[in-house]
Amino acid sequence: MAPSSRSARRPDSSPAAEQPGVGNAVMERLQEVGTLTRVIEQRLSGALGINATDLAAMEHLATDGPLTAKELADRLRVSTAASTHIVDRLEKAGHIVRRPHATDRRKVLVEPVAESMDRLFGHLHPLLRGVEGLVEALAPGDRDVVKTFLTGVVQIYTDTADSFPQG
């Protein structure tokens, strides 16, 4: 993520080397959303007694339902070994349970514990309701524009994430 608009220059650059997007209100709001997302993740992680990576795993389990450790690794863009450590930590903290796969005895599913999901969504409820209210207030055409824009942002983020070495 780029630094906030208050710091328009890279620490190692001259004043002439401005950050892309400085002075662009949309880019500045996106930077703020990125910064506030990290703050929320940090505080939510603390409230749940887990780290940011474990929180990301919980979010995938909340969204996608029970997953194998491999599926979780793919979504988190980490190795299967790292995913196993994440699952071990979450299980030890009481946030997930391992269950046998219904049709494939070789697979184990990672399933979130209902009480943990209740805590997670209890903390996120005001944020989710607030954003949902903003979306509902948009005219249908405006929703389409925002959706197209955000789809493009997601693709750029995905392409950028995929360009980094996995490790």
Side-chain angles (χ1 to χ4, degrees):
M1 281 287 141
S4 72
S5 61
R6 291 185 191 104
S7 172
R9 292 182 288 128
R10 293 184 185 116
D12 62 342
S13 66
S14 67
E18 295 290 321
Q19 286 283 342
V22 171
N24 177 322
V26 173
M27 291 293 292
E28 290 174 357
R29 294 303 77 80
L30 283 172
Q31 289 175 350
E32 286 181 63
V33 168
T35 299
L36 288 169
T37 297
R38 287 187 298 279
V39 169
I40 290 168
E41 288 172 347
Q42 198 174 45
R43 292 182 183 172
L44 184 56
S45 294
L48 297 174
I50 57 178
N51 67 35
T53 303
D54 296 354
L55 177 62
M58 291 288 293
E59 291 170 349
H60 284 290
L61 293 169
T63 303
D64 302 326
L67 301 167
T68 65
K70 169 71 171 113
E71 292 168 333
L72 195 55
D74 291 345
R75 283 167 175 77
L76 294 171
R77 300 173 190 267
V78 300
S79 68
T80 53
S83 176
T84 299
H85 290 296
I86 293 165
V87 170
D88 289 344
R89 286 192 306 266
L90 288 171
E91 184 176 46
K92 184 177 180 183
H95 292 294
I96 61 100
V97 292
R98 288 177 162 110
R99 300 232 190 268
H101 193 280
T103 59
D104 187 341
R105 294 182 345 175
R106 297 166 295 172
K107 292 183 181 179
V108 173
L109 291 175
V110 178
E111 185 176 307
V113 172
E115 294 80 16
S116 290
M117 288 294 102
D118 290 346
R119 285 180 60 204
L120 175 71
F121 285 110
H123 289 293
L124 291 177
H125 186 77
L127 180 137
L128 297 172
R129 279 287 182 224
V131 172
E132 184 177 48
L134 287 174
V135 171
E136 288 174 358
L138 292 171
D142 291 341
R143 280 188 204 177
D144 291 341
V145 169
V146 172
K147 178 183 173 188
T148 299
F149 172 75
L150 291 175
T151 298
V153 170
V154 167
Q155 187 61 57
I156 292 166
Y157 270 62
T158 301
D159 292 346
T160 301
D162 289 346
S163 73
F164 291 115
Q166 188 177 352

